């Protein structure tokens, strides 16, 4: 007689061990997010030889499988996609398990669409003679090649039949990347793969007899290329130029820097972090700006008083921006670009005349520019906050004077447009006002220095006598006697303020 324990052991020894995952497909409900180091589920794998040197690979790098089969999240993850693949391998067996992430409101009984998806992922959902689980291959593998990467299994044996592999990467361009051992189903890669060129290959496997006639299949075989961090971040959209108005509030967004990384966007290989390496010039503060490490937004960090264009060493700043992948870790690859930031002027300084009174002298009867009025303005000469607009606000009732702005010097060019008469007025006094093309900011006003007086002296000119009337018409009968008076002419001299003799 055997004890119950001995009977139990005897029965266990009689059971045939089936290598691989004990469950091939898992459905788990997606929480708000997978928390770092949290156990997601336990995957039971048995190679029937003691599970020595088990190696697990997960298709999503945000997760890992520990040696005991526990699937855990490496960081807080809120978006993981619809499915994960877990590939387990030992010296004696390998197998693939698949995990589907269901939304919280998704009913497990209504999975027709998901099951359709499963059928397209290379994992057989019905009993077939060919088992072709997806193969995961890291890119940039080094020689020697060919390298064994997976295996296709036929449950009904391989005697007298051959495996045949086809598709893009085998007998279609690019040809010859993969091949299969016709006798045992071993799949090999013949050269280094580049995920950025082709991220996955959809192949087909079938079993044929010795005459080439198909017996089983074809069955889809997916080969997924696992991303390696082999691409540096690149800034492709330069030159990068941003503008910010002087006096802007702390935290004002200036511009956004966006780098591109050709690696897998779902992995840390393309997870970028931004940093300011250098600022030129360093005054009035070596840290005038801050860059959001995740978004790349550059914002001001100094007070509005320091962001004063008129007191700065230069209104242009250059920032050397670094983008680093691997989430900014020391092992990440980097790329740099220069961001130019221009401090734009606002009209916070009114124009001021360089003196309160200007003198001008003009001869009577002459037109043209008689004096240039000079002003100073601390605003940017390239803007309407600097350009001057002059106006005569008093002393020009006859509209004898006009004033225009010299666009190169910003001076006011005062001109006589109607000839002046010394005998009428020998002196003129004009009141001139200067403003900007752009309006002043609300807390700034035009003061007394924005007006000036122009004293104009008219010089007398010796003018010729004037006949009255002119022309003169005389009508006389013919044959008038010699010595008769034809006409008495009348002329006056305009220079009434001088003693003149007319002859």
């Amino acid at each position: 007689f055997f004890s119950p324990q001995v009977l139990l052991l005897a029965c266990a020894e009689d059971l045939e061990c089936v290598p691989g995952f004990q469950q091939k497909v898992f459905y788990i409900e997606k929480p708000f997010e997978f928390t770092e180091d949290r156990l997601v589920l336990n995957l039971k794998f048995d190679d029937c030889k003691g599970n020595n040197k088990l190696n697990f690979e997960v298709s999503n790098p945000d997760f890992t499988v520990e040696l005991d089969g526990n699937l855990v999240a490496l960081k807080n993850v809120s978006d993981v996609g619809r499915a994960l693949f877990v590939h387990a391998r030992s010296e004696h067996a390998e197998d693939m398990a698949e995990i589907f992430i269901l939304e919280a409101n998704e009913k497990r009984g209504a999975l027709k669409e998901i099951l359709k998806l499963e059928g397209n992922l290379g994992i057989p959902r019905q009993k077939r003679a060919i088992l072709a689980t997806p193969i995961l291959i890291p890119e940039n593998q080094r020689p020697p090649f060919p390298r064994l990467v997976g295996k296709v299994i036929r449950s009904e044996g391989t005697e007298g039949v051959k495996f045949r592999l086809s598709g893009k990467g085998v007998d279609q361009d690019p040809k010859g990347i993969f091949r299969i051992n016709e006798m045992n189903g071993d799949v090999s890669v013949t050269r280094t793969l580049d995920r950025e060129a082709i991220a996955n290959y959809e192949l087909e496997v079938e079993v044929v007899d010795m005459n080439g006639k198909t017996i089983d299949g074809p069955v889809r075989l997916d080969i997924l290329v696992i991303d390696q961090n082999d691409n540096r971040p690149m800034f492709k959209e330069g030159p990068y130029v941003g503008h910010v108005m002087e006096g802007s509030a702390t935290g004002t967004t200036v511009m956004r820097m966006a780098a591109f990384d050709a690696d897998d966007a779902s992995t840390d290989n393309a997870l970028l972090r931004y940093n300011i390496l250098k600022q030129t010039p360093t005054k009035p503060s070596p840290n005038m700006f801050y860059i959001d490490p995740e978004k790349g937004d550059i914002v001001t960090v100094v007070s509005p008083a320091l962001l004063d264009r008129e007191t700065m060493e230069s209104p242009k700043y250059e920032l050397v921006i670094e983008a680093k992948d691997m989430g900014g870790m020391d092992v990440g690859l980097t790329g740099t670009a220069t961001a130019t930031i221009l401090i734009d002027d606002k009209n916070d300084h009114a124009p001021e005349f360089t003196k309160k009174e200007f003198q001008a002298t003009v001869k009577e009867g002459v037109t043209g520019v008689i004096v240039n009025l000079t002003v100073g303005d601390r605003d940017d000469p390239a803007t309407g906050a600097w350009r001057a607009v002059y106006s005569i606000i008093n002393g020009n009732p006859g509209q004898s004077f006009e004033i225009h702005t010299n666009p190169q010097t910003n001076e006011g060019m005062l001109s006589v447009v109607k000839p002046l008469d010394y005998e009428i007025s020998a002196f003129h006094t004009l009141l001139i006002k200067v403003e900007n093309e752009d309006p002043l900011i609300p807390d700034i006003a035009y003061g007394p220095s924005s007006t000036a007086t122009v004293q104009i002296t008219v010089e007398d000119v010796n003018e010729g006598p004037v006949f009255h009337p002119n022309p003169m018409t005389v009508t006389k009968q013919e044959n008038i006697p010699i010595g008769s008076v034809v006409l008495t002419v009348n002329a006056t001299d305009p220079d009434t303020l001088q003693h003149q003799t007319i002859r």
Side-chain angles (χ1 to χ4, degrees), residues 84-343:
L84 307 176
F85 296 105
V86 178
H87 186 205
R89 180 184 298 173
S90 73
E91 297 176 350
H92 309 289
E94 65 175 314
D95 199 3
M96 180 76 71
E98 187 176 6
I99 300 99
F100 278 93
I101 311 298
L102 303 182
E103 296 294 343
N105 59 355
E106 197 168 12
K107 302 301 182 181
R108 292 186 58 173
L111 295 175
K112 292 182 179 179
E113 294 302 317
I114 295 180
L115 292 174
K116 287 181 183 178
L117 177 65
E118 293 174 22
N120 291 329
L121 290 175
I123 299 180
R125 303 304 177 203
Q126 59 188 13
K127 187 175 181 180
R128 291 180 178 174
I130 302 175
L131 177 63
T133 57
I135 298 173
L136 282 68
I137 307 175
E139 65 173 335
N140 304 323
Q141 286 184 318
R142 296 179 179 179
F145 291 106
R147 182 190 295 266
L148 180 64
V149 292
K151 188 179 183 65
V152 177
I153 301 172
R154 184 171 188 259
S155 60
E156 298 178 4
T158 59
E159 186 174 349
V161 298
K162 297 187 297 184
F163 290 97
R164 186 161 64 191
L165 189 63
S166 61
K168 181 179 178 180
V170 182
D171 54 356
Q172 301 174 21
D173 291 333
K175 298 180 179 179
I177 297 179
F178 304 101
R179 64 190 187 195
I180 191 169
N181 186 307
E182 294 181 341
M183 306 311 296
N184 60 22
D186 286 345
V187 178
S188 302
V189 63
T190 62
R191 57 179 181 263
T192 300
L193 301 182
D194 182 1
R195 192 206 68 87
E196 287 67 50
I198 301 177
N200 59 79
Y201 298 83
E202 297 178 3
L203 308 180
E204 287 188 343
V205 183
E206 56 185 343
V207 175
V208 299
D209 61 20
M210 293 305 175
N211 296 320
K213 182 180 178 181
T214 300
I215 300 175
D216 289 319
V219 172
R220 178 168 160 177
L221 171 62
D222 284 302
I223 296 183
L224 311 176
V225 184
I226 301 174
D227 187 43
Q228 302 293 317
N229 193 19
D230 57 346
N231 289 278
R232 293 181 177 276
M234 297 179 64
F235 291 90
K236 292 184 174 182
E237 300 177 358
Y240 296 90
V241 180
H243 294 262
V244 62
M245 188 69 70
E246 64 172 330
S248 295
T250 303
T252 298
T253 300
V254 181
M255 60 190 300
R256 171 169 287 188
M257 300 291 290
F260 169 77
D261 195 309
D263 291 317
D264 188 350
S266 67
T267 70
D268 285 353
N269 297 336
L271 182 61
L272 304 183
R273 292 293 180 264
Y274 298 93
N275 181 41
I276 298 176
L277 296 181
K278 184 181 179 181
Q279 171 191 301
T280 306
T282 59
K283 295 179 180 179
S285 168
N287 300 302
M288 299 284 292
F289 307 95
Y290 165 81
I291 188 168
D292 187 301
E294 295 185 7
K295 297 179 180 179
D297 289 339
I298 298 176
V299 299
T300 62
V301 293
V302 293
S303 66
L306 284 181
L307 205 63
D308 184 358
R309 184 187 173 281
E310 286 71 38
T311 61
M312 288 178 170
E313 178 181 319
S314 170
K316 180 173 75 172
Y317 287 84
E318 289 190 344
L319 306 179
V320 179
I321 306 298
E322 176 191 69
K324 180 182 286 190
D325 59 21
M326 297 301 292
M329 296 175 61
D330 291 341
V331 296
L333 302 178
T334 62
T336 60
T338 298
T340 300
I341 298 177
L342 301 176
I343 311 302

